[in-house]
PDB file of all heavy atoms in Angstrom:
ATOM      1  N   ASP A 281     -42.561 -36.947 -63.751  1.00 88.00           N
ATOM      2  CA  ASP A 281     -41.268 -37.197 -63.120  1.00 88.00           C
ATOM      3  C   ASP A 281     -40.171 -37.351 -64.174  1.00 88.00           C
ATOM      4  O   ASP A 281     -39.084 -36.797 -64.050  1.00 88.00           O
ATOM      5  CB  ASP A 281     -41.353 -38.461 -62.253  1.00 88.00           C
ATOM      6  CG  ASP A 281     -42.535 -38.397 -61.297  1.00 88.00           C
ATOM      7  OD1 ASP A 281     -42.647 -37.388 -60.595  1.00 88.00           O
ATOM      8  OD2 ASP A 281     -43.348 -39.326 -61.282  1.00 88.00           O
ATOM      9  N   GLY A 282     -40.483 -38.139 -65.231  1.00 91.00           N
ATOM     10  CA  GLY A 282     -39.527 -38.296 -66.317  1.00 91.00           C
ATOM     11  C   GLY A 282     -39.260 -36.988 -67.032  1.00 91.00           C
ATOM     12  O   GLY A 282     -38.139 -36.702 -67.438  1.00 91.00           O
ATOM     13  N   GLY A 283     -40.296 -36.162 -67.170  1.00 93.00           N
ATOM     14  CA  GLY A 283     -40.144 -34.884 -67.847  1.00 93.00           C
ATOM     15  C   GLY A 283     -39.233 -33.937 -67.099  1.00 93.00           C
ATOM     16  O   GLY A 283     -38.356 -33.298 -67.673  1.00 93.00           O
ATOM     17  N   VAL A 284     -39.431 -33.816 -65.788  1.00 93.00           N
ATOM     18  CA  VAL A 284     -38.607 -32.923 -64.984  1.00 93.00           C
ATOM     19  C   VAL A 284     -37.169 -33.438 -64.926  1.00 93.00           C
ATOM     20  O   VAL A 284     -36.206 -32.671 -65.040  1.00 93.00           O
ATOM     21  CB  VAL A 284     -39.182 -32.757 -63.565  1.00 93.00           C
ATOM     22  CG1 VAL A 284     -38.205 -32.010 -62.659  1.00 93.00           C
ATOM     23  CG2 VAL A 284     -40.517 -32.009 -63.627  1.00 93.00           C
ATOM     24  N   SER A 285     -36.999 -34.735 -64.781  1.00 93.00           N
ATOM     25  CA  SER A 285     -35.654 -35.322 -64.761  1.00 93.00           C
ATOM     26  C   SER A 285     -34.940 -35.070 -66.078  1.00 93.00           C
ATOM     27  O   SER A 285     -33.759 -34.710 -66.105  1.00 93.00           O
ATOM     28  CB  SER A 285     -35.727 -36.829 -64.493  1.00 93.00           C
ATOM     29  OG  SER A 285     -36.213 -37.081 -63.190  1.00 93.00           O
ATOM     30  N   ALA A 286     -35.648 -35.258 -67.202  1.00 94.00           N
ATOM     31  CA  ALA A 286     -35.032 -35.039 -68.508  1.00 94.00           C
ATOM     32  C   ALA A 286     -34.591 -33.587 -68.659  1.00 94.00           C
ATOM     33  O   ALA A 286     -33.492 -33.319 -69.173  1.00 94.00           O
ATOM     34  CB  ALA A 286     -36.017 -35.423 -69.608  1.00 94.00           C
ATOM     35  N   SER A 287     -35.400 -32.658 -68.220  1.00 96.00           N
ATOM     36  CA  SER A 287     -35.038 -31.243 -68.315  1.00 96.00           C
ATOM     37  C   SER A 287     -33.808 -30.933 -67.463  1.00 96.00           C
ATOM     38  O   SER A 287     -32.884 -30.253 -67.903  1.00 96.00           O
ATOM     39  CB  SER A 287     -36.212 -30.369 -67.854  1.00 96.00           C
ATOM     40  OG  SER A 287     -37.359 -30.598 -68.634  1.00 96.00           O
ATOM     41  N   ARG A 288     -33.797 -31.467 -66.271  1.00 95.00           N
ATOM     42  CA  ARG A 288     -32.688 -31.211 -65.351  1.00 95.00           C
ATOM     43  C   ARG A 288     -31.388 -31.775 -65.884  1.00 95.00           C
ATOM     44  O   ARG A 288     -30.352 -31.089 -65.919  1.00 95.00           O
ATOM     45  CB  ARG A 288     -33.016 -31.852 -63.992  1.00 95.00           C
ATOM     46  CG  ARG A 288     -31.911 -31.710 -62.949  1.00 95.00           C
ATOM     47  CD  ARG A 288     -32.285 -32.444 -61.681  1.00 95.00           C
ATOM     48  NE  ARG A 288     -31.369 -32.169 -60.589  1.00 95.00           N
ATOM     49  CZ  ARG A 288     -31.482 -32.694 -59.377  1.00 95.00           C
ATOM     50  NH1 ARG A 288     -32.480 -33.505 -59.099  1.00 95.00           N
ATOM     51  NH2 ARG A 288     -30.601 -32.395 -58.431  1.00 95.00           N
ATOM     52  N   TYR A 289     -31.413 -33.025 -66.331  1.00 95.00           N
ATOM     53  CA  TYR A 289     -30.164 -33.679 -66.728  1.00 95.00           C
ATOM     54  C   TYR A 289     -29.747 -33.346 -68.155  1.00 95.00           C
ATOM     55  O   TYR A 289     -28.575 -33.481 -68.493  1.00 95.00           O
ATOM     56  CB  TYR A 289     -30.288 -35.186 -66.484  1.00 95.00           C
ATOM     57  CG  TYR A 289     -30.436 -35.472 -65.000  1.00 95.00           C
ATOM     58  CD1 TYR A 289     -31.611 -35.998 -64.483  1.00 95.00           C
ATOM     59  CD2 TYR A 289     -29.408 -35.168 -64.118  1.00 95.00           C
ATOM     60  CE1 TYR A 289     -31.765 -36.211 -63.116  1.00 95.00           C
ATOM     61  CE2 TYR A 289     -29.540 -35.378 -62.757  1.00 95.00           C
ATOM     62  CZ  TYR A 289     -30.714 -35.904 -62.256  1.00 95.00           C
ATOM     63  OH  TYR A 289     -30.856 -36.104 -60.899  1.00 95.00           O
ATOM     64  N   SER A 290     -30.661 -32.859 -68.985  1.00 96.00           N
ATOM     65  CA  SER A 290     -30.271 -32.314 -70.285  1.00 96.00           C
ATOM     66  C   SER A 290     -29.418 -31.076 -70.073  1.00 96.00           C
ATOM     67  O   SER A 290     -28.416 -30.861 -70.770  1.00 96.00           O
ATOM     68  CB  SER A 290     -31.493 -31.983 -71.130  1.00 96.00           C
ATOM     69  OG  SER A 290     -32.184 -33.140 -71.525  1.00 96.00           O
ATOM     70  N   TYR A 291     -29.826 -30.246 -69.117  1.00 96.00           N
ATOM     71  CA  TYR A 291     -29.052 -29.035 -68.804  1.00 96.00           C
ATOM     72  C   TYR A 291     -27.676 -29.404 -68.285  1.00 96.00           C
ATOM     73  O   TYR A 291     -26.669 -28.817 -68.672  1.00 96.00           O
ATOM     74  CB  TYR A 291     -29.826 -28.205 -67.786  1.00 96.00           C
ATOM     75  CG  TYR A 291     -29.182 -26.889 -67.437  1.00 96.00           C
ATOM     76  CD1 TYR A 291     -28.947 -25.922 -68.405  1.00 96.00           C
ATOM     77  CD2 TYR A 291     -28.820 -26.604 -66.112  1.00 96.00           C
ATOM     78  CE1 TYR A 291     -28.357 -24.700 -68.077  1.00 96.00           C
ATOM     79  CE2 TYR A 291     -28.238 -25.390 -65.783  1.00 96.00           C
ATOM     80  CZ  TYR A 291     -28.003 -24.438 -66.764  1.00 96.00           C
ATOM     81  OH  TYR A 291     -27.424 -23.238 -66.437  1.00 96.00           O
ATOM     82  N   MET A 292     -27.620 -30.425 -67.436  1.00 95.00           N
ATOM     83  CA  MET A 292     -26.330 -30.877 -66.914  1.00 95.00           C
ATOM     84  C   MET A 292     -25.438 -31.395 -68.042  1.00 95.00           C
ATOM     85  O   MET A 292     -24.216 -31.223 -68.008  1.00 95.00           O
ATOM     86  CB  MET A 292     -26.535 -31.976 -65.873  1.00 95.00           C
ATOM     87  CG  MET A 292     -25.243 -32.450 -65.218  1.00 95.00           C
ATOM     88  SD  MET A 292     -25.505 -33.744 -63.987  1.00 95.00           S
ATOM     89  CE  MET A 292     -26.408 -32.825 -62.750  1.00 95.00           C
ATOM     90  N   GLY A 293     -26.055 -31.994 -69.058  1.00 96.00           N
ATOM     91  CA  GLY A 293     -25.288 -32.566 -70.151  1.00 96.00           C
ATOM     92  C   GLY A 293     -24.838 -31.560 -71.194  1.00 96.00           C
ATOM     93  O   GLY A 293     -24.095 -31.922 -72.111  1.00 96.00           O
ATOM     94  N   GLY A 294     -25.263 -30.299 -71.085  1.00 96.00           N
ATOM     95  CA  GLY A 294     -24.751 -29.301 -72.015  1.00 96.00           C
ATOM     96  C   GLY A 294     -25.784 -28.468 -72.722  1.00 96.00           C
ATOM     97  O   GLY A 294     -25.425 -27.574 -73.504  1.00 96.00           O
ATOM     98  N   PHE A 295     -27.082 -28.711 -72.501  1.00 97.00           N
ATOM     99  CA  PHE A 295     -28.112 -27.878 -73.119  1.00 97.00           C
ATOM    100  C   PHE A 295     -28.136 -26.504 -72.431  1.00 97.00           C
ATOM    101  O   PHE A 295     -27.697 -26.346 -71.286  1.00 97.00           O
ATOM    102  CB  PHE A 295     -29.484 -28.546 -73.014  1.00 97.00           C
ATOM    103  CG  PHE A 295     -29.779 -29.516 -74.128  1.00 97.00           C
ATOM    104  CD1 PHE A 295     -28.846 -30.492 -74.489  1.00 97.00           C
ATOM    105  CD2 PHE A 295     -30.979 -29.470 -74.815  1.00 97.00           C
ATOM    106  CE1 PHE A 295     -29.107 -31.377 -75.521  1.00 97.00           C
ATOM    107  CE2 PHE A 295     -31.246 -30.357 -75.847  1.00 97.00           C
ATOM    108  CZ  PHE A 295     -30.317 -31.321 -76.204  1.00 97.00           C
ATOM    109  N   ASP A 296     -28.658 -25.520 -73.153  1.00 96.00           N
ATOM    110  CA  ASP A 296     -28.663 -24.150 -72.625  1.00 96.00           C
ATOM    111  C   ASP A 296     -29.915 -23.810 -71.836  1.00 96.00           C
ATOM    112  O   ASP A 296     -29.932 -22.811 -71.109  1.00 96.00           O
ATOM    113  CB  ASP A 296     -28.538 -23.159 -73.794  1.00 96.00           C
ATOM    114  CG  ASP A 296     -27.218 -23.325 -74.526  1.00 96.00           C
ATOM    115  OD1 ASP A 296     -26.168 -23.062 -73.900  1.00 96.00           O
ATOM    116  OD2 ASP A 296     -27.220 -23.743 -75.688  1.00 96.00           O
ATOM    117  N   GLY A 297     -30.979 -24.604 -71.977  1.00 95.00           N
ATOM    118  CA  GLY A 297     -32.211 -24.290 -71.276  1.00 95.00           C
ATOM    119  C   GLY A 297     -33.284 -25.302 -71.581  1.00 95.00           C
ATOM    120  O   GLY A 297     -33.044 -26.308 -72.240  1.00 95.00           O
ATOM    121  N   THR A 298     -34.477 -25.031 -71.077  1.00 95.00           N
ATOM    122  CA  THR A 298     -35.605 -25.941 -71.230  1.00 95.00           C
ATOM    123  C   THR A 298     -36.893 -25.146 -71.361  1.00 95.00           C
ATOM    124  O   THR A 298     -36.980 -23.992 -70.921  1.00 95.00           O
ATOM    125  CB  THR A 298     -35.709 -26.899 -70.032  1.00 95.00           C
ATOM    126  OG1 THR A 298     -36.853 -27.764 -70.202  1.00 95.00           O
ATOM    127  CG2 THR A 298     -35.877 -26.147 -68.723  1.00 95.00           C
ATOM    128  N   SER A 299     -37.906 -25.775 -71.927  1.00 92.00           N
ATOM    129  CA  SER A 299     -39.242 -25.182 -71.955  1.00 92.00           C
ATOM    130  C   SER A 299     -40.000 -25.445 -70.661  1.00 92.00           C
ATOM    131  O   SER A 299     -41.042 -24.851 -70.415  1.00 92.00           O
ATOM    132  CB  SER A 299     -40.048 -25.761 -73.120  1.00 92.00           C
ATOM    133  OG  SER A 299     -40.290 -27.156 -72.918  1.00 92.00           O
ATOM    134  N   ASN A 300     -39.460 -26.327 -69.823  1.00 93.00           N
ATOM    135  CA  ASN A 300     -40.151 -26.831 -68.630  1.00 93.00           C
ATOM    136  C   ASN A 300     -40.056 -25.821 -67.475  1.00 93.00           C
ATOM    137  O   ASN A 300     -39.005 -25.665 -66.850  1.00 93.00           O
ATOM    138  CB  ASN A 300     -39.517 -28.172 -68.222  1.00 93.00           C
ATOM    139  CG  ASN A 300     -40.279 -28.892 -67.142  1.00 93.00           C
ATOM    140  OD1 ASN A 300     -41.032 -28.286 -66.396  1.00 93.00           O
ATOM    141  ND2 ASN A 300     -40.075 -30.184 -67.051  1.00 93.00           N
ATOM    142  N   VAL A 301     -41.143 -25.147 -67.185  1.00 89.00           N
ATOM    143  CA  VAL A 301     -41.165 -24.118 -66.148  1.00 89.00           C
ATOM    144  C   VAL A 301     -40.872 -24.688 -64.768  1.00 89.00           C
ATOM    145  O   VAL A 301     -40.167 -24.073 -63.954  1.00 89.00           O
ATOM    146  CB  VAL A 301     -42.522 -23.375 -66.159  1.00 89.00           C
ATOM    147  CG1 VAL A 301     -42.586 -22.345 -65.029  1.00 89.00           C
ATOM    148  CG2 VAL A 301     -42.752 -22.691 -67.488  1.00 89.00           C
ATOM    149  N   LEU A 302     -41.393 -25.889 -64.484  1.00 90.00           N
ATOM    150  CA  LEU A 302     -41.171 -26.496 -63.181  1.00 90.00           C
ATOM    151  C   LEU A 302     -39.689 -26.805 -62.957  1.00 90.00           C
ATOM    152  O   LEU A 302     -39.161 -26.608 -61.857  1.00 90.00           O
ATOM    153  CB  LEU A 302     -42.005 -27.776 -63.025  1.00 90.00           C
ATOM    154  CG  LEU A 302     -41.919 -28.479 -61.668  1.00 90.00           C
ATOM    155  CD1 LEU A 302     -42.342 -27.543 -60.528  1.00 90.00           C
ATOM    156  CD2 LEU A 302     -42.772 -29.742 -61.651  1.00 90.00           C
ATOM    157  N   ALA A 303     -39.006 -27.275 -63.989  1.00 93.00           N
ATOM    158  CA  ALA A 303     -37.564 -27.540 -63.872  1.00 93.00           C
ATOM    159  C   ALA A 303     -36.812 -26.246 -63.635  1.00 93.00           C
ATOM    160  O   ALA A 303     -35.842 -26.205 -62.868  1.00 93.00           O
ATOM    161  CB  ALA A 303     -37.053 -28.234 -65.126  1.00 93.00           C
ATOM    162  N   GLY A 304     -37.249 -25.170 -64.286  1.00 93.00           N
ATOM    163  CA  GLY A 304     -36.639 -23.876 -64.025  1.00 93.00           C
ATOM    164  C   GLY A 304     -36.842 -23.426 -62.604  1.00 93.00           C
ATOM    165  O   GLY A 304     -35.921 -22.917 -61.948  1.00 93.00           O
ATOM    166  N   TYR A 305     -38.050 -23.627 -62.100  1.00 92.00           N
ATOM    167  CA  TYR A 305     -38.386 -23.233 -60.727  1.00 92.00           C
ATOM    168  C   TYR A 305     -37.605 -24.048 -59.703  1.00 92.00           C
ATOM    169  O   TYR A 305     -37.081 -23.499 -58.722  1.00 92.00           O
ATOM    170  CB  TYR A 305     -39.891 -23.409 -60.526  1.00 92.00           C
ATOM    171  CG  TYR A 305     -40.371 -23.247 -59.115  1.00 92.00           C
ATOM    172  CD1 TYR A 305     -40.425 -21.996 -58.510  1.00 92.00           C
ATOM    173  CD2 TYR A 305     -40.776 -24.356 -58.363  1.00 92.00           C
ATOM    174  CE1 TYR A 305     -40.876 -21.848 -57.198  1.00 92.00           C
ATOM    175  CE2 TYR A 305     -41.210 -24.228 -57.060  1.00 92.00           C
ATOM    176  CZ  TYR A 305     -41.258 -22.966 -56.492  1.00 92.00           C
ATOM    177  OH  TYR A 305     -41.687 -22.842 -55.192  1.00 92.00           O
ATOM    178  N   LEU A 306     -37.525 -25.375 -59.912  1.00 91.00           N
ATOM    179  CA  LEU A 306     -36.891 -26.251 -58.927  1.00 91.00           C
ATOM    180  C   LEU A 306     -35.368 -26.206 -58.977  1.00 91.00           C
ATOM    181  O   LEU A 306     -34.713 -26.236 -57.922  1.00 91.00           O
ATOM    182  CB  LEU A 306     -37.353 -27.704 -59.156  1.00 91.00           C
ATOM    183  CG  LEU A 306     -38.807 -28.033 -58.828  1.00 91.00           C
ATOM    184  CD1 LEU A 306     -39.122 -29.459 -59.260  1.00 91.00           C
ATOM    185  CD2 LEU A 306     -39.084 -27.843 -57.341  1.00 91.00           C
ATOM    186  N   PHE A 307     -34.797 -26.116 -60.177  1.00 93.00           N
ATOM    187  CA  PHE A 307     -33.347 -26.310 -60.331  1.00 93.00           C
ATOM    188  C   PHE A 307     -32.635 -25.127 -60.982  1.00 93.00           C
ATOM    189  O   PHE A 307     -31.464 -25.218 -61.311  1.00 93.00           O
ATOM    190  CB  PHE A 307     -33.073 -27.574 -61.141  1.00 93.00           C
ATOM    191  CG  PHE A 307     -33.764 -28.790 -60.597  1.00 93.00           C
ATOM    192  CD1 PHE A 307     -34.750 -29.434 -61.319  1.00 93.00           C
ATOM    193  CD2 PHE A 307     -33.459 -29.287 -59.336  1.00 93.00           C
ATOM    194  CE1 PHE A 307     -35.404 -30.559 -60.829  1.00 93.00           C
ATOM    195  CE2 PHE A 307     -34.093 -30.399 -58.821  1.00 93.00           C
ATOM    196  CZ  PHE A 307     -35.070 -31.038 -59.566  1.00 93.00           C
ATOM    197  N   ASP A 308     -33.352 -24.027 -61.188  1.00 93.00           N
ATOM    198  CA  ASP A 308     -32.759 -22.822 -61.766  1.00 93.00           C
ATOM    199  C   ASP A 308     -32.230 -23.056 -63.176  1.00 93.00           C
ATOM    200  O   ASP A 308     -31.256 -22.425 -63.589  1.00 93.00           O
ATOM    201  CB  ASP A 308     -31.658 -22.272 -60.851  1.00 93.00           C
ATOM    202  CG  ASP A 308     -31.388 -20.792 -61.110  1.00 93.00           C
ATOM    203  OD1 ASP A 308     -32.323 -20.097 -61.555  1.00 93.00           O
ATOM    204  OD2 ASP A 308     -30.249 -20.348 -60.894  1.00 93.00           O
ATOM    205  N   VAL A 309     -32.851 -23.960 -63.910  1.00 94.00           N
ATOM    206  CA  VAL A 309     -32.502 -24.168 -65.313  1.00 94.00           C
ATOM    207  C   VAL A 309     -33.110 -23.021 -66.117  1.00 94.00           C
ATOM    208  O   VAL A 309     -34.292 -22.707 -65.932  1.00 94.00           O
ATOM    209  CB  VAL A 309     -33.044 -25.513 -65.835  1.00 94.00           C
ATOM    210  CG1 VAL A 309     -32.712 -25.703 -67.301  1.00 94.00           C
ATOM    211  CG2 VAL A 309     -32.484 -26.671 -65.008  1.00 94.00           C
ATOM    212  N   PRO A 310     -32.357 -22.359 -67.002  1.00 94.00           N
ATOM    213  CA  PRO A 310     -32.944 -21.277 -67.807  1.00 94.00           C
ATOM    214  C   PRO A 310     -34.128 -21.784 -68.621  1.00 94.00           C
ATOM    215  O   PRO A 310     -34.064 -22.854 -69.226  1.00 94.00           O
ATOM    216  CB  PRO A 310     -31.785 -20.858 -68.728  1.00 94.00           C
ATOM    217  CG  PRO A 310     -30.549 -21.266 -67.991  1.00 94.00           C
ATOM    218  CD  PRO A 310     -30.921 -22.540 -67.272  1.00 94.00           C
ATOM    219  N   ILE A 311     -35.239 -21.050 -68.611  1.00 92.00           N
ATOM    220  CA  ILE A 311     -36.415 -21.464 -69.368  1.00 92.00           C
ATOM    221  C   ILE A 311     -36.538 -20.611 -70.631  1.00 92.00           C
ATOM    222  O   ILE A 311     -36.312 -19.408 -70.615  1.00 92.00           O
ATOM    223  CB  ILE A 311     -37.706 -21.403 -68.526  1.00 92.00           C
ATOM    224  CG1 ILE A 311     -37.899 -20.029 -67.891  1.00 92.00           C
ATOM    225  CG2 ILE A 311     -37.686 -22.483 -67.455  1.00 92.00           C
ATOM    226  CD1 ILE A 311     -39.224 -19.888 -67.146  1.00 92.00           C
ATOM    227  N   ARG A 312     -36.902 -21.299 -71.718  1.00 90.00           N
ATOM    228  CA  ARG A 312     -37.032 -20.657 -73.020  1.00 90.00           C
ATOM    229  C   ARG A 312     -38.301 -21.166 -73.700  1.00 90.00           C
ATOM    230  O   ARG A 312     -38.885 -22.159 -73.281  1.00 90.00           O
ATOM    231  CB  ARG A 312     -35.820 -20.993 -73.903  1.00 90.00           C
ATOM    232  CG  ARG A 312     -34.477 -20.573 -73.322  1.00 90.00           C
ATOM    233  CD  ARG A 312     -34.282 -19.060 -73.380  1.00 90.00           C
ATOM    234  NE  ARG A 312     -32.946 -18.681 -72.945  1.00 90.00           N
ATOM    235  CZ  ARG A 312     -32.615 -18.367 -71.706  1.00 90.00           C
ATOM    236  NH1 ARG A 312     -33.554 -18.415 -70.749  1.00 90.00           N
ATOM    237  NH2 ARG A 312     -31.380 -18.013 -71.384  1.00 90.00           N
ATOM    238  N   GLY A 313     -38.709 -20.507 -74.774  1.00 86.00           N
ATOM    239  CA  GLY A 313     -39.892 -20.977 -75.477  1.00 86.00           C
ATOM    240  C   GLY A 313     -40.025 -20.366 -76.858  1.00 86.00           C
ATOM    241  O   GLY A 313     -39.372 -19.357 -77.164  1.00 86.00           O
ATOM    242  N   THR A 314     -40.862 -20.964 -77.675  1.00 86.00           N
ATOM    243  CA  THR A 314     -41.191 -20.398 -78.992  1.00 86.00           C
ATOM    244  C   THR A 314     -42.687 -20.106 -78.995  1.00 86.00           C
ATOM    245  O   THR A 314     -43.153 -19.281 -78.235  1.00 86.00           O
ATOM    246  CB  THR A 314     -40.804 -21.366 -80.123  1.00 86.00           C
ATOM    247  OG1 THR A 314     -41.426 -22.640 -79.890  1.00 86.00           O
ATOM    248  CG2 THR A 314     -39.296 -21.561 -80.160  1.00 86.00           C
ATOM    249  N   HIS A 315     -43.455 -20.776 -79.826  1.00 84.00           N
ATOM    250  CA  HIS A 315     -44.908 -20.662 -79.782  1.00 84.00           C
ATOM    251  C   HIS A 315     -45.493 -21.875 -80.462  1.00 84.00           C
ATOM    252  O   HIS A 315     -44.812 -22.617 -81.173  1.00 84.00           O
ATOM    253  CB  HIS A 315     -45.402 -19.370 -80.449  1.00 84.00           C
ATOM    254  CG  HIS A 315     -44.858 -19.143 -81.831  1.00 84.00           C
ATOM    255  ND1 HIS A 315     -45.217 -19.923 -82.914  1.00 84.00           N
ATOM    256  CD2 HIS A 315     -43.971 -18.226 -82.297  1.00 84.00           C
ATOM    257  CE1 HIS A 315     -44.597 -19.495 -83.989  1.00 84.00           C
ATOM    258  NE2 HIS A 315     -43.823 -18.468 -83.658  1.00 84.00           N
TER     259      HIS A 315
END
């Protein structure tokens, strides 16, 4: 719960995306990754 909330509200605060696939699925936050 904390992880999804952090991803969602980080995006609201000005981040460009998240590694969190569930946050992307639920809230349309752009998902990104490295390796």
Side-chain angles (χ1 to χ4, degrees):
D281 309 308
V284 171
S285 294
S287 301
R288 178 184 189 180
Y289 295 113
S290 292
Y291 183 61
M292 183 180 293
F295 274 48
D296 297 295
T298 179
S299 65
N300 189 338
V301 177
L302 183 58
Y305 171 73
L306 291 173
F307 307 115
D308 202 28
V309 178
I311 54 175
R312 301 287 185 268
T314 55
H315 51 69

